[in-house]
């Protein structure tokens, strides 16, 4: 175990030394030692005990001392110093094809690039091409390299994966002899990032069905095709491919197979244990007592025979769901009555107030809040106080127009939480609004204390009703901010400030595990789309699934309540 750690740390030391532009022989000596240790069949501690570290070919005095230091203290000071002196994302840059330590050193020194995301930005806005020794060609190549890295990370956001799964399901349903087809796997559980797609079907002719599956228009290449199973790669709209598996199962096993292939693996292990305790056997073909099938055709039957309620797929992660006597009253899409975060042309949206309102009405909502950006969000065309006051007038006028149409528009804002923790509008301006979302958009890399302070300061303001996308993460693109969540959740619960579960597909923020913890601490949530155009209102389902994965009940979601209760929630905090 310790051998592998030392190898890892030595390799990182070598990379970091090179990025810092140190003399290359130092880096070379750490790399050589790492390689030598990798080949050892004996524990370093044993060799050190015999005082024979320097007898390992490739290990010299310096590296031997570092090994001793590691064995004695569990860490290597030099490694810590180096990692502290450079941005934490810098080693990730080495994974980009065509990018070595020398170029990284230049990018860091000249452009302050310290992560893959920062490099992507610097390439896209042309700064990399202008660097001496780089040029447009190199910049383009690096961008390709980043796209490769994204793909080889191998996971696809749910929002991208699910439509592909749905298309495949429809196409399989249309194949001759197919009686039934369902999506299983992580897509069914609503996980935020998806490895591959899993489909199950019942069909008259297995081999003909798998063969036809491999010839569907989306399929780019075939990994395997047998009598009951086929695996293919289909085009992934965000680049590269995603794997899809189709299994043909007998009708009498369909429920068992759906249960099995929905997973998660951990959840399935627990179910199998329950079966075994009763002397039964559970697998993808059914629940059996000896040769007798106790359940199999439908999923509910499996759970029922095991003495469990039909656990919703989003909960199947072995995080306590097996021990539940009664299922929580999980929120669901039809429960939502409004969407309290969206943008119009006034800032960076593309639609008018009326367009957003009518589109929301079509989706069955009773109310929306228009929450355009505040003036510090310059790139997003944030509103000055004057423009905000004009927008409030427009919202009031729109409401008069929409009277009787069944939808109410609340005048709101997405007010920036400034780097010092103050809000972008003064209280007397916020007081004119029906609904205030406060979000961090700038200075997201501040230290934990400051970010926590900023969020708490916003929560402490009587006019702030909701913290928008509280962690600031972008799936696969930007890390969540480093915040003391317990403090934030406690303060939000104590002050009557809602926390957003952003349904925007790149955000899903708060994430599932945070939702669950915040709910335990008594928080109220709002599931919002942050739509910038009408079709983005349809992303609500992703927020709902995130909430469900966080065990959120209908009663803790503010926008399942009628508009009068939303107004009462706002009024209660202002009192
Ligand atoms: P993914 O594809 O990485 O996003 O996640 P899943 O959950 O879709 O995983 P996948 O596609 O490997 O398998 C689908 C389900 O099949 C998985 O959730 C549980 C079941 N499964 C797969 N392999 C095993 C296994 O070795 N043991 C058990 N108990 N279940 C398995
Ligand atoms: Ca899967
Ligand atoms: Ca799979
Ligand atoms: Zn927004």
């Amino acid at each position: 175990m310790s051998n592998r750690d030392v190898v890892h740390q030595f390799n990182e030391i070598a990379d970091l030394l090179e990025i810092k532009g140190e003399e290359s022989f130092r880096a070379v000596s750490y790399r050589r030692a790492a390689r030598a240790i990798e080949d050892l069949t004996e524990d370093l501690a044993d060799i050190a005990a015999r005082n024979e570290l320097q007898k390992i070919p490739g290990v010299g005095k310096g590296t031997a001392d570092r090994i001793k230091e590691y064995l004695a203290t569990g860490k290597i000071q030099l490694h810590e110093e180096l990692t502290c002196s450079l941005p934490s994302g810098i080693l990730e840059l080495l994974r980009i094809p065509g990018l070595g330590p020398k170029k990284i050193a230049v990018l860091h020194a000249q452009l302050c690039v310290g992560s893959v995301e920062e490099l992507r930005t610097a390439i896209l806005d042309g700064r990399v091409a202008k660097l001496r020794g780089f040029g447009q060609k190199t910049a383009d190549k690096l961008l390709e390299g980043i796209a490769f890295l994204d793909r080889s990370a191998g996971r696809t956001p749910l929002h991208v994966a699910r439509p592909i799964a749905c298309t495949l399901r429809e196409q399989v349903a249309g194949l001759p002899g197919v009686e039934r087809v369902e999506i299983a796997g992580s897509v069914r559980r609503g996980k935020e990032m998806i490895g591959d797609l899993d489909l199950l079907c019942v069909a008259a002719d297995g081999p003909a069905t798998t063969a036809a599956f491999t010839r569907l228009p989306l399929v780019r290449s075939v990994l395997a095709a047998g009598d009951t199973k086929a695996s293919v790669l289909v085009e992934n709209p965000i680049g590269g491919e995603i794997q899809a598996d189709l299994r043909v199962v007998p009708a009498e096993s369909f429920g068992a197979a759906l249960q099995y292939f929905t997973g998660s693996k951990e959840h399935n292990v627990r179910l199998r244990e329950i079966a075994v305790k009763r002397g039964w056997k559970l697998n993808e073909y059914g629940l059996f007592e000896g040769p007798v099938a106790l359940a199999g055709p439908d999923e509910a039957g499996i759970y029922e025979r095991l003495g469990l309620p039909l656990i919703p797929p989003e909960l199947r992660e072995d995080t306590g769901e097996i021990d539940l006597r009664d299922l929580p009253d999980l929120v669901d899409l039809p429960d939502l009555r409004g969407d309290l975060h969206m943008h119009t042309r006034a800032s960076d949206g593309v639609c008018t107030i009326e367009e957003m309102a009518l589109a929301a009405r079509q989706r069955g909502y009773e109310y929306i809040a228009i929450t355009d950006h505040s003036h510090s969000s310059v790139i997003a065309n944030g509103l000055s106080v004057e423009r905000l006051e004009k927008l409030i007038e427009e919202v009031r006028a729109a409401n008069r127009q929409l009277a009787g149409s069944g939808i109410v528009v609340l005048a709101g804002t997405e007010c920036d939480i400034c780097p010092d923790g103050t809000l972008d509008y003064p209280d007397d301006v916020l007081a004119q609004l029906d609904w205030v979302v406060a979000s961090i958009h700038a200075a997201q890399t501040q230290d934990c204390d400051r970010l926590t302070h900023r969020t708490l300061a916003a929560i402490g303001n009587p006019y702030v009703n909701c913290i928008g996308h509280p962690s600031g993460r972008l799936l696969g693109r930007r890390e969540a901010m480093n915040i003391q969540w317990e403090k934030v959740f406690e303060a939000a619960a104590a002050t009557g400030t809602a926390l957003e579960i952003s349904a925007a597909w790149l955000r899903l923020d708060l994430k599932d595990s945070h939702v669950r913890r915040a709910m335990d601490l008594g928080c109220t949530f709002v599931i919002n789309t942050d739509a910038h155009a009408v079709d983005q209102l349809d992303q609500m389902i992703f927020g709902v699934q995130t909430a469900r994965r966080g065990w959120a009940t209908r009663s803790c979601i503010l926008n399942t309540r009628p508009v009068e209760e939303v107004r009462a929630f706002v009024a209660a905090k202002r009192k």
Side-chain angles (χ1 to χ4, degrees):
M1 204 56 209
S2 66
N3 285 18
R4 222 189 308 144
D5 280 349
V6 173
V7 169
H8 179 72
Q9 294 213 22
F10 276 13
N11 279 325
E12 287 201 353
I13 288 174
D15 291 337
L16 292 162
L17 284 170
E18 284 182 336
I19 291 169
K20 291 207 84 161
E22 302 267 347
E23 303 100 321
S24 61
F25 74 87
R26 281 189 78 198
V28 169
S29 69
Y30 279 99
R31 241 188 267 289
R32 190 188 301 130
R35 237 188 340 259
I37 297 165
E38 243 177 338
D39 293 338
L40 288 178
T41 51
E42 199 182 1
D43 214 317
L44 279 172
D46 296 336
I47 303 173
R50 295 196 305 270
N51 210 3
E52 289 181 351
L53 285 174
Q54 283 193 59
K55 287 200 181 156
I56 304 170
V59 174
K61 168 97 175 55
T63 46
D65 285 346
R66 297 288 177 273
I67 296 170
K68 283 187 216 151
E69 183 192 351
Y70 178 82
L71 290 172
T73 67
K75 50 189 180 196
I76 300 172
Q77 183 76 21
L78 174 64
H79 182 264
E80 303 219 320
E81 284 168 10
L82 286 166
T83 45
C84 282
S85 67
L86 288 165
S88 59
I90 206 148
L91 286 172
E92 231 201 314
L93 288 168
L94 282 168
R95 290 172 44 219
I96 300 172
L99 195 57
K102 289 218 178 70
K103 280 211 172 75
I104 294 174
V106 176
L107 289 165
H108 180 242
Q110 306 277 319
L111 303 177
C112 287
V113 164
S115 70
V116 173
E117 265 336 294
E118 287 166 3
L119 177 60
R120 193 196 315 258
T121 308
I123 295 170
L124 290 175
D125 61 30
R127 282 178 291 148
V128 171
K130 285 192 207 118
L131 273 184
R132 185 204 284 252
F134 281 72
Q136 192 60 49
K137 244 197 196 143
T138 308
D140 290 345
K141 251 219 193 101
L142 290 176
L143 200 58
E144 267 176 43
I146 294 175
F148 169 83
L149 204 61
D150 285 349
R151 290 197 295 275
S152 58
R155 301 190 77 79
T156 304
L158 178 63
H159 162 81
V160 178
R162 197 210 318 256
I164 306 173
C166 290
T167 306
L168 289 173
R169 177 177 54 188
E170 271 167 39
Q171 292 178 347
V172 171
L175 296 176
V178 171
E179 287 162 36
R180 192 171 173 194
V181 48
E182 294 292 345
I183 297 168
S186 49
V187 171
R188 184 159 180 244
R189 302 200 312 282
K191 273 195 79 165
E192 60 193 39
M193 296 294 271
I194 302 300
D196 68 8
L197 311 174
D198 302 280
L199 293 128
L200 296 180
C201 72
V202 176
D205 183 342
T209 307
T210 54
F213 177 67
T214 63
R215 291 192 300 264
L216 290 177
L218 286 181
V219 172
R220 277 215 187 143
S221 58
V222 180
L223 300 173
D227 289 351
T228 59
K229 191 194 154 180
S231 291
V232 298
L233 293 179
V234 300
E235 184 174 335
N236 185 338
I238 60 168
E241 284 120 8
I242 182 166
Q243 183 176 331
D245 300 336
L246 175 71
R247 291 180 180 81
V248 186
V249 302
E252 66 267 23
S253 297
F254 191 80
L258 184 59
Q259 195 292 311
Y260 182 90
F261 290 110
T262 295
S264 67
K265 208 167 163 178
E266 293 75 12
H267 175 86
N268 289 355
V269 167
R270 294 293 305 275
L271 254 50
R272 259 202 317 271
E273 283 170 7
I274 296 175
V276 167
K277 255 188 215 147
R278 301 186 179 194
W280 301 337
K281 198 171 94 186
L282 176 64
N283 57 30
E284 62 265 51
Y285 301 105
L287 179 63
F288 299 95
E289 180 166 30
V292 181
L294 302 174
D298 67 288
E299 193 177 49
I302 302 273
Y303 283 91
E304 201 185 324
R305 283 310 297 259
L306 292 173
L308 296 170
L310 179 55
I311 298 172
E314 292 93 340
L315 265 49
R316 300 184 192 171
E317 301 289 350
D318 187 25
T319 53
E321 76 280 9
I322 306 273
D323 306 316
L324 282 174
R325 291 233 163 163
D326 301 301
L327 293 175
D329 179 25
L330 293 185
V331 63
D332 207 346
L333 191 58
D335 298 329
L336 295 184
R337 295 176 186 241
D339 185 338
L340 292 168
H341 183 162
M342 67 187 67
H343 300 267
T344 68
R345 278 186 205 164
S347 63
D348 59 348
V350 297
C351 300
T352 63
I353 298 168
E354 287 79 6
E355 285 165 344
M356 295 308 276
L358 292 173
R361 183 65 208 140
Q362 274 175 6
R363 285 155 179 81
Y365 295 140
E366 297 163 18
Y367 54 88
I368 57 169
I370 299 297
T371 55
D372 277 303
H373 288 284
S374 61
H375 60 86
S376 284
S377 281
V378 177
I379 339 170
N381 186 26
L383 308 181
S384 63
V385 170
E386 238 173 30
R387 286 175 61 214
L388 175 65
E389 285 174 343
K390 185 165 156 265
L391 186 70
I392 296 174
E393 284 309 305
E394 287 170 16
V395 168
R396 306 290 179 232
N399 268 321
R400 287 191 291 275
Q401 285 263 301
L402 291 162
S405 72
I407 190 131
V408 173
V409 185
L410 301 181
T413 178
E414 182 179 15
C415 181
D416 261 59
I417 304 171
C418 301
D420 63 357
T422 58
L423 291 168
D424 213 11
Y425 293 127
D427 283 1
D428 63 321
V429 172
L430 296 176
Q432 300 173 47
L433 294 160
D434 305 317
W435 175 254
V436 174
V437 178
S439 310
I440 291 182
H441 291 116
Q444 301 201 16
T445 54
Q446 282 178 337
D447 62 37
C448 180
D449 280 350
R450 282 198 196 176
L451 289 168
T452 304
H453 163 80
R454 270 167 95 181
T455 309
L456 291 176
I459 288 172
N461 182 296
Y463 298 101
V464 170
N465 309 118
C466 171
I467 301 297
H469 43 74
S471 86
R473 73 166 180 174
L474 297 177
L475 283 178
R477 298 198 189 167
R478 186 166 73 207
E479 290 287 342
M481 291 183 286
N482 189 5
I483 287 177
Q484 293 180 50
W485 293 109
E486 291 283 308
K487 285 191 182 170
V488 167
F489 298 160
E490 280 165 10
T495 55
T497 310
L499 297 173
E500 184 172 71
I501 300 171
S502 177
W505 69 277
L506 255 179
R507 294 193 180 274
L508 305 183
D509 180 9
L510 295 174
K511 66 176 174 183
D512 48 13
S513 55
H514 279 171
V515 170
R516 191 161 165 194
R517 179 65 189 147
M519 197 177 64
D520 283 346
L521 292 173
C523 290
T524 301
F525 306 94
V526 194
I527 310 177
N528 291 326
T529 60
D530 199 350
H532 287 65
V534 292
D535 58 331
Q536 291 174 11
L537 293 170
D538 295 325
Q539 293 182 19
M540 192 60 104
I541 181 64
F542 302 108
V544 170
Q545 272 201 308
T546 302
R548 289 168 65 87
R549 289 180 58 82
W551 293 38
T553 59
R554 190 196 331 225
S555 63
C556 70
I557 309 287
L558 183 65
N559 50 332
T560 62
R561 304 177 198 165
V563 70
E564 300 77 46
E565 290 186 35
V566 174
R567 290 191 194 275
F569 182 86
V570 171
K573 191 176 180 190
R574 291 185 183 187
K575 247 192 218 148

